[in-house]
Amino acid sequence: MSDANEYDVAVVGGGLAALSTGLFAAGFGLRTVVVTEIVMGGELINLEEVVHFPGMSDPISGSELASRVEAQALAAGAEFVFDDVTEIAKDGTGFAVRGLETDIRSRTVVAAMGAGRRRLGVEGESDLEGRGISYCGTCDGPLFKEKSVAVIGDHDFAGREALVVARYASAVTLITRRAEPDLSDATRSAIDESDRIRVLSHAQVETLTNSDGTLGAVQVRDLETDGISGIDVAGLFVNAGLEPRSSLLRGLVDLDADGFVRVDVGMRTSLEGLLAVGELRSDFVGYAVAAAGDGAAAAGSARRLIRS
């Protein structure tokens, strides 16, 4: 393998955690490559607004934030390779990162493949995906202008997604298994002020109604009374949690019961030289600023390992 393919840090992924790792690692003077698929920004680009990001008094779109950090990483000297990584393997004292058209060797690897939206797991879901069922309010909200929709989820992301789709839909039902969804004060206030959003607590979607190939309604179980009721909706936005993209790491590092990568405070995994950041790692808190912090921590750990 030529020296041109040898790096100090290889980052696999293209989200904010990956871009931040590339920025800080290159800034530390380490030869750094970020290997990602075509879309830069990962799940971040699906966020219409990132709020409370330190140093930014106004909200910023996820795509704009990703673009800015990408530009910073490039200016710091990080290289970018656009490819689908198919293998991460231990290779002597370092690692091999292989893709469809890529063969890179690196002294350290930072895994930043992120996580995808977990499916709801209800019969008929796959048949209605893209025909009423969506996993991205920012992407698909405009398709439901002046229609009634539902959003499923227990956390702040679901609440913010309800606010996004309420800009288009005539009515939004936020369905949560909890007594109250776990919302930030800002999200809660915005939902309370909206005349288009209602919260349906202690509820779970049980079945979907397929109406001539598109979603027509959902049947919801009341988890307190066990009663079933129907809600006519044209759209259902699913926020049922995250599915880590950790398949490339199975057998290499310790994973938790849900498949997320176990790390220490320095983002180090059970295999020396392999680090994991962002939504891929266990106990990630889910905020953009946390993803950026993970990248900085991983870059610092890589620098210490390389210079030791």
Side-chain angles (χ1 to χ4, degrees), residues 259-298:
F260 292 92
V261 182
R262 298 185 189 275
V263 298
D264 64 11
V265 294
M267 304 298 121
R268 292 175 287 259
T269 71
S270 57
L271 178 60
E272 185 175 72
L274 203 160
L275 306 98
V277 295
E279 290 182 334
L280 183 66
R281 73 168 178 90
S282 58
D283 299 321
F284 180 67
V285 296
Y287 294 105
V289 66
D294 278 10

Side-chain angles (χ1 to χ4, degrees), residues 50-302:
V50 177
V51 296
H52 304 310
F53 197 88
M56 294 184 185
S57 56
D58 297 321
I60 183 173
S61 71
S63 59
E64 173 63 19
L65 179 58
S67 179
R68 291 187 186 185
V69 182
E70 178 188 2
Q72 288 179 299
L74 283 166
E79 299 175 39
F80 285 84
V81 171
F82 295 94
D83 197 4
D84 183 8
V85 173
T86 57
E87 183 182 16
I88 299 172
K90 195 77 176 78
D91 183 13
T93 59
F95 295 87
V97 176
R98 301 184 179 98
L100 299 178
E101 300 179 351
T102 304
D103 194 354
I104 287 170
R105 190 176 187 282
S106 182
R107 297 176 68 183
T108 63
V109 168
V110 179
M113 292 85 77
R117 296 283 190 94
R118 195 182 299 277
R119 297 295 191 259
L120 185 60
V122 174
E123 185 177 353
E125 179 178 8
S126 59
D127 295 334
L128 291 170
E129 185 174 339
R131 299 175 177 270
I133 292 183
S134 171
Y135 305 90
C136 177
T138 301
C139 310
D140 297 332
L143 301 177
F144 297 91
K145 189 173 182 179
E146 298 305 319
K147 296 180 180 180
S148 178
V149 304
V151 176
I152 298 176
D154 298 327
H155 299 285
D156 195 60
F157 190 92
R160 286 184 283 143
E161 185 137 285
L163 290 168
V164 168
V165 298
R167 298 174 184 175
Y168 311 100
S170 59
V172 179
T173 301
L174 176 57
I175 301 171
T176 174
R177 294 173 58 90
R178 302 184 179 204
E180 290 288 340
D182 184 16
L183 306 177
S184 68
D185 289 344
T187 302
R188 166 53 68 186
S189 294
I191 287 177
D192 289 344
E193 292 170 4
S194 173
D195 60 0
R196 296 190 178 192
I197 303 174
R198 68 162 179 147
V199 178
L200 185 61
S201 303
H202 294 299
Q204 174 179 294
V205 172
E206 291 285 304
T207 57
L208 309 169
T209 299
N210 188 321
S211 178
D212 294 326
T214 61
L215 181 68
V218 296
Q219 285 68 50
V220 178
R221 181 182 299 279
D222 186 312
L223 297 177
E224 291 187 309
T225 68
D226 211 35
I228 299 290
S229 59
I231 306 174
D232 292 334
V233 292
L236 179 65
F237 295 86
V238 179
N239 295 271
L242 297 173
E243 191 80 37
R245 299 188 180 103
S246 56
S247 59
L248 293 179
L249 303 180
R250 293 190 182 277
L252 278 179
V253 299
D254 291 342
L255 307 177
D256 68 16
D258 295 315
F260 292 92
V261 182
R262 298 185 189 275
V263 298
D264 64 11
V265 294
M267 304 298 121
R268 292 175 287 259
T269 71
S270 57
L271 178 60
E272 185 175 72
L274 203 160
L275 306 98
V277 295
E279 290 182 334
L280 183 66
R281 73 168 178 90
S282 58
D283 299 321
F284 180 67
V285 296
Y287 294 105
V289 66
D294 278 10
S301 293

